[in-house]
């Protein structure tokens, strides 16, 4: 079960990685009021912030699918493999988003959704 918990934590921290990317080294970043600063960003910083939002939006379905799979008695090794694939796809998604590769990003998103559905029926 150790891999499953670790992958759940990895999924939870992915949005924070994207947030750090959006904010790191930014000029005049105001941590007391970060949202207006982030809203004013353009280019890769804006895309990293959008990736952060999408990662947070995707977490509930991922967690629900994992918890349901565990409840339904999914084989832990298969479940962990699918979860690992989902985490890797979401990391690639962030990279594609930051690099401005919209079509690749969308294909990765669809692949991650398919893996999430596979988790649900694991």
């Amino acid at each position: 079960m150790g891999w499953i918990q670790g992958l759940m934590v990895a999924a939870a921290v992915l949005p924070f990685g994207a947030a750090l990317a959006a904010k790191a080294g930014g000029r005049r970043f105001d941590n007391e009021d970060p949202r207006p600063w982030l809203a004013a960003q353009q280019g890769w910083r804006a895309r990293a912030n959008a990736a952060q939002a999408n990662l947070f939006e995707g977490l509930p379905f991922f967690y629900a699918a994992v918890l349901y799979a565990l409840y339904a008695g999914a084989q832990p090794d298969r479940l962990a493999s699918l979860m690992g694939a989902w985490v890797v796809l979401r990391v690639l998604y962030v990279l594609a988003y930051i690099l401005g590769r919209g079509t690749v990003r969308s294909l990765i998103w669809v692949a991650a959704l398919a893996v999430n559905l596979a988790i649900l029926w694991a």
Side-chain angles (χ1 to χ4, degrees), residues 34-47:
R35 290 180 188 229
W37 183 87
L38 282 166
Q41 297 309 298
Q42 297 179 354
W44 71 269
R45 287 187 193 283
R47 292 190 301 272

Side-chain angles (χ1 to χ4, degrees), residues 32-90:
E32 298 299 319
D33 195 17
R35 290 180 188 229
W37 183 87
L38 282 166
Q41 297 309 298
Q42 297 179 354
W44 71 269
R45 287 187 193 283
R47 292 190 301 272
N49 188 46
Q52 170 196 202
N54 186 273
L55 289 167
F56 274 124
E57 292 162 0
L59 279 177
F61 182 36
F62 174 72
Y63 283 136
V66 169
L67 292 174
Y68 179 77
L70 289 168
Y71 170 78
Q75 179 190 31
D77 290 342
R78 173 161 168 69
L79 180 57
S81 294
L82 289 168
M83 291 172 68
W86 187 87
V87 168
V88 168
L89 285 167
R90 295 302 276 176

